[in-house]
Amino acid sequence: MTKTQAARPVADLTPAEAKAELARLAPLIAEHDRRYYADSAPILSDAGYDALRRRNDAIEARFPEFRRADSPSLRVGAAPAQGFAKVTHGEPMLSLQNAFTGEDVRDFMARVRRFLAGLIHLERDQPIEVMGEAKIDGLSISLRYERGKLVLAATRGDGHAGEDVTHNIRTVAEIPHAIGGGVPAILEVRGEIYMRHQDFFALNQAREQAEEPPFANPRNAAAGSLRQLDWRITAARQLGFFAYALGQTSEPVAATHQGLLERLGAWRFPVNPLARLCKDVDDMLAFHAAMGAARAELGYDIDGVVYKVNRLDWQEQLGQVSRAPRWALAHKFAAEQAETRIADIAIQVGRTGALTPVAILEPINVGGVVVQRATLHNEDEIQRKDIRVSDTVIVQRAGDVIPQIVSVVLARRPPGSAPYGFPAICPVCGSRAVRAIDPVTGAPDAARRCTGGLICPAQAKERLRHFVSRDAFDIEGLGRKHIDAFTEDKLIATPGDVFRLHGKSKEIAEREGWGPQSVANLTAAIEARRTITLDRFIHALGISQVGQATARLLAREYGTLDEWVRAMRDAADPAGDAYRRLVGIDQIGPAVAADLIQFFAEPHNLEVVEDLTREVRVQSTAQRPPATASPIAGKTVVFTGNLARVTRTAAKTGAEALGAKVSESVSKKTDYVVVGADPGSKAEKAKMLGVAILSEAEWLDLIGRP
Ligand code: IVH
C-alpha cells in the first residue's frame, strides 16, 4: 500500500538521501494525519502509517541534524497551559539501594539468597545469576504505551506520581512513538534520559554565547532540557535514552531480565550495550571494575553499575522494602575526589569578554584521570569558598566532566596567605574589566567582563566578524573563515585594520585559496564601504545591548559621529544634561546607557573609534527635530504614485525624520495622502474616506521645502 516496503533500509541511506527522504515523509505524514484526524477518512492502514512514522524516526535517529522544523516527530497536540500535569504511574517508580564497597555487594547477595531460600527450594551452591548494567547518570522516565502507541511520558516525581512530559519526550528522536511485534496492550517502559558529553559541551557553549548560565553537568542539562514548557526547546536539545526496566504491563514479556532487555531492543528501544550476566560476586565486582575503567571513554556519564537478579519470577518473590526492590542494587563508583595544591589562579578571557578564573593545580590523579586545572566559575565563587593561591584543596571530577574544587583544607593553609584579589584589568589586552550592575535589581553580573571588546585579542574574532557582517559594515567576501584566518595570522587585529588590508594585498594573494583577482575583489568590496551611515557605524562597534534598532535611535538623536561620541563621553556624569538626554530617548533605558558609557570610559575603545574615523567617512543622519517643529510631526502619511522631485524612499525617510509616521495603506487614521503621477487605488480610497490629499508641490510646501 505504501512505498515504504520497497524503500531503502535506513541504515543504507547516504546523508543526501536521508535528507531527501525526510523531506518526502514530512508532508506525506502530515497529509495522512489530516485525512485521519481532520477528515476522519484515512486511506492508509494503521500499520502502514506507523511504518512511515517509524521510518521518519529512524532516519532522524541516525541523522538528528536533518530533523526538519516541520518533522512529524515534533508535531503534537497543544501544550498544557501552565506547568506540567501530574500523572500517576501505573506501577510506582522505585529507587535503588546503594552500595559502595565489595563488602556491600557480598552482603546484598547473601541477603538475596537468604530471602529466596526462605520461600523456595534453593541448593546451597545454586548460582543466582545477576545482570550487571551501567548506571546511567541522567533522569528516569516512564513511557506508557497502549496498543503499541506512546500515550504518556512521565518523570519519576515522588515515585507514585510524576509530571506529564509527553510533548517533550516526543521530540526525543531515540524514543519510538509506536512499537509493534507482540506488544502487550499496556506497557510501561522505564529508562534514563541523558545527555552525551559532546552535546552538553555544545549546549553550554551556545549558552555562554547567549550570556546564559551554563549547566553544571550533563544530568542537570538533561533535566533542564526535558522540563521545558515549550517542547520546541526540548526538541532543539540532543537528548539520549536507554531503556532498562518495565513498569505496568498487561502480560509478561520475558522470563529473565536479560530476555526483557532483548525484547526492548527488538521493539527498537535503545538498550545500553554495557551489560553482563554475572554468575557470582566475583563476576559482579569484575564488571564494576571494568566499567570504572571504561567510564572516561564512554562519552556520557555513568555513576556506577546496577545489579539485577536475572530471573523475573525471583524478582517477583523478592519484592521490595521501603520503595526499593530487594532484587536490585546500585553499586556506585567511589567518590572521585583527591587532595592537591593550587599552584596559581589563571584568568581566561572568553570570546564574549567574560573573565573566568581557573585553578592551576599540582597534577593529581582523580579516579584514574590526571587533573591539572579546575574551574573556579567566577569571582563570587572564589570569595565564597575563600580560595587562595597555595591552598590545599579537595578536587572533584563532577560527573566526569569539568574538575571542580569542593573545599579548602584550612588546616593546611600556609601562614601569611592573602585572599585572592580578582583582577580588574583584562590580562589579555589591559583594558578595564567590570561587572555590569543590573539597574533594576542592583545586582552585579556574575561575570567580570573586559571592556576592550574591539581591541582585545581574546574577543577580536568575534568582534571583527560582527564588524564586517551584513547589518554592520557589510563587507562582501570577508566571511567568518577569513576573519579567523586573518586574525590568527595577525593581518588584522582592529576594525581599522580591515581598511588597511589593501596594504597587505601581496601577502594575501600568496595565501592558499587566494590569488590576485580574489584579492582585488576583496579590496574593492572594502573600498565600497569606506562611506557608511552613522547608525551602521554605531551598530558595527558591537557595544553590548546596542543592536540595529538602538543604533538607529542614537543616530537619529545625535546626527553626527562627533556629536554622538562627545555626548556619550559627557553622559558619564549621571547628573549632567548629556545623561538626561541619553536616557530621555524613547526605548533607551539606564541599562543600555550604562553599557554605552562603559564603552566610552575605556580609552582603548576611543582609540579604535578615532582610528576608524581616519579610515572611513561617516555620513550624518537627519536629526529628529523637536516634536512640535514640523506640522507633520505625529501625523500619518501615505505616499502613492510617482513623485517628480524626490524618490518615494527619500520622501518617506524625510517625512520620518520630521516625526511623521509613514504607512503603506490608507485608513481613516491616515492624515495625508501624497499623490504623485499615475496614482493607484490608494488615492481612490483616500477620496472615499475623506482623507486630505496633497500634490507633491503641496506636500513640499507643507514641510517647508522650496
Ligand atoms: S533500575 C526498580 N537500571 O538510577 C529499578 N536504574 O539511583 C529501577 N538508573 O531511579 C531502576 N541506570 O534513574 C536502573 N541501568 C539502570 C539504571 C538506573 C540509571 C537510575 C534510575 C534510578 C536511579 C537510582
Side-chain angles (χ1 to χ4, degrees), residues 108-340:
F108 165 75
M109 285 310 286
R111 275 200 309 276
V112 167
R113 181 173 292 278
R114 260 202 318 275
F115 198 92
L116 279 180
L119 296 174
I120 55 167
H121 176 71
L122 206 61
E123 301 291 338
R124 263 189 75 81
D125 53 356
Q126 185 172 340
I128 297 175
E129 286 186 333
V130 161
M131 271 304 272
E133 291 174 0
K135 185 173 184 306
I136 316 299
D137 196 7
L139 64 147
S140 47
I141 194 92
S142 182
L143 309 171
R144 187 178 175 90
Y145 291 82
E146 289 177 6
R147 294 182 207 295
K149 297 253 187 331
L150 175 63
V151 293
L152 181 69
T155 60
R156 182 172 181 280
D158 64 4
H160 287 282
E163 288 173 323
D164 180 350
V165 288
T166 316
H167 294 85
N168 294 348
I169 280 294
R170 282 192 207 276
T171 71
V172 177
E174 297 180 1
I175 294 181
H177 292 193
I179 49 177
V183 193
I186 294 174
L187 177 73
E188 278 181 3
V189 174
R190 305 269 164 89
E192 203 83 352
I193 292 283
Y194 69 100
M195 191 178 278
R196 292 175 183 84
H197 289 166
Q198 68 188 76
D199 297 322
F200 168 70
F201 287 131
L203 173 61
N204 266 357
Q205 210 166 31
R207 287 176 71 84
E208 199 190 311
Q209 265 177 27
E211 314 218 326
E212 288 164 345
F215 287 108
N217 56 49
R219 177 164 34 79
N220 290 355
S225 301
L226 190 62
R227 295 194 74 262
Q228 286 290 340
L229 286 179
D230 182 349
W231 57 266
R232 276 164 290 227
I233 299 177
T234 312
R237 310 268 174 90
Q238 301 293 326
L239 294 174
F241 175 72
F242 283 122
Y244 51 61
L246 290 188
Q248 190 188 358
T249 49
S250 52
E251 57 191 88
V253 293
T256 62
H257 185 69
Q258 190 175 33
L260 165 62
L261 293 181
E262 276 164 20
R263 289 213 70 186
L264 286 169
W267 286 326
R268 308 243 173 279
F269 290 98
V271 174
N272 193 291
L274 306 167
R276 187 195 291 173
L277 192 62
C278 306
K279 302 246 176 299
D280 54 27
V281 173
D282 289 343
D283 262 6
M284 292 158 74
L285 296 183
F287 176 68
H288 182 266
M291 296 310 321
R295 107 188 249 211
E297 311 295 323
L298 294 180
Y300 54 85
D301 285 351
I302 62 174
D303 57 343
V305 302
V306 181
Y307 306 120
K308 298 173 183 172
V309 169
N310 195 34
R311 277 179 60 162
L312 297 184
D313 55 340
W314 286 0
Q315 285 190 5
E316 179 106 8
Q317 275 156 330
L318 283 158
Q320 65 183 72
V321 258
S322 70
R323 300 173 90 188
R326 273 198 201 86
W327 47 266
L329 183 72
H331 187 180
K332 298 281 199 82
F333 292 131
E336 306 224 74
Q337 295 192 340
E339 211 175 279
T340 188

Side-chain angles (χ1 to χ4, degrees), residues 4-14 17 55 58-59 62-63:
T4 21
Q5 281 94 336
R8 290 193 354 105
V10 170
D12 294 346
L13 295 179
T14 64
E17 286 169 338
R55 184 168 172 79
I59 298 174
R62 243 196 96 198
F63 299 99

